[in-house]
Amino acid sequence: MGSRAIAWVKEDQGGTESADVLIAHNRLTATGVATGTTPVGYRLNYKLETDYGFTTLGLLVTAHGTGWSRRLDLRRNRRGQWSARTKSEGDADLPAPGGDTSTFSEALDCDLGLSPLTNSMPVLRHGLLRGGGPVDFLMAWVSVPDLAVSASRQRYTFVRAQGEGAVVRYESLDSDFTADITFDRDGLVVDYPGIARRT
């Protein structure tokens, strides 16, 4: 695919996201910026790197708002061990960043809250643009903007081809949330109802 610059609008959250994404040699790397207004106004910067097979190697995220800032360095080494280093400054009525990595020790993927980017990894790894599923996953889910990390059980299922891409159904196995996500031919989100839409 090579490198692409992509932007999404998040109408329900009152925010935006833009990212420079490189997909090559069965890996994905990206740097991005997101803004939002809920539960407090924030700006978030992230850097994502996967290993071969689109499994997470690292997600470095910083978030800040009026009078506060957070930093999360979430890593998964090639032996499959997760670590989460955090930093928090200022006064914000938010949960603490980080979390107990043992709760998602079997996860292959991180999932950055409200970001359409991290949905690409499981879809690309399992070829869900061409069919298949349901496939169940355990994710290291990063809540935004507090950057707390917890386990999230999810399911992805191919629904239909859409142009050169596909529609894949996302289901949370921990809640009743579902969405039919439209991906382009490179496996990047075009439309994620309730979360983000490509501009």
Side-chain angles (χ1 to χ4, degrees):
M1 176 197 102
S3 182
R4 290 177 59 183
I6 299 177
W8 296 274
V9 63
K10 302 177 179 181
E11 294 171 344
D12 290 357
Q13 287 82 34
T16 62
E17 182 171 341
S18 60
D20 293 315
V21 185
L22 175 64
I23 298 178
H25 309 298
N26 214 29
R27 297 178 66 183
L28 182 152
T29 57
T31 56
V33 179
T35 61
T37 58
T38 304
V40 295
Y42 66 88
R43 174 189 167 104
L44 181 147
N45 294 74
Y46 63 82
K47 182 176 181 180
L48 171 67
E49 180 183 11
T50 78
D51 203 351
Y52 301 102
F54 302 105
T55 58
T56 296
L57 280 177
L59 175 68
L60 177 62
V61 193
T62 59
H64 66 270
T66 303
W68 63 273
S69 66
R70 299 286 176 91
R71 184 179 189 272
L72 170 69
D73 189 0
L74 183 65
R75 300 280 162 185
R76 181 181 180 274
N77 66 27
R78 288 190 165 94
R79 295 186 302 277
Q81 299 167 323
W82 288 90
S83 64
R85 293 184 296 171
T86 64
K87 184 177 181 181
S88 182
E89 295 182 349
D91 184 26
D93 187 18
L94 296 169
D100 182 359
T101 59
S102 69
T103 64
F104 51 85
S105 61
E106 301 301 314
L108 299 178
D109 303 286
C110 65
D111 183 3
L112 181 60
L114 303 178
S115 174
L117 180 66
T118 46
N119 297 95
S120 296
M121 287 117 69
V123 167
L124 289 169
R125 185 167 65 251
H126 289 271
L128 292 172
L129 296 177
R130 298 181 301 276
V135 186
D136 291 355
F137 300 93
L138 178 67
M139 305 291 192
W141 184 72
V142 180
S143 176
V144 170
D146 48 89
L147 308 187
V149 191
S150 59
S152 173
R153 297 180 306 121
Q154 304 173 6
R155 176 174 294 154
Y156 286 72
T157 309
F158 174 84
V159 176
R160 65 179 181 275
Q162 179 101 354
E164 294 184 87
V167 175
V168 176
R169 179 163 296 137
Y170 165 93
E171 299 173 75
S172 168
L173 300 180
D174 298 318
S175 72
D176 59 0
F177 179 78
T178 66
D180 285 357
I181 307 173
T182 303
F183 292 85
D184 66 17
R185 65 181 180 182
D186 296 318
L188 297 170
V189 170
V190 176
D191 185 33
Y192 188 158
I195 300 294
R197 173 176 51 82
R198 182 94 57 88
T199 59

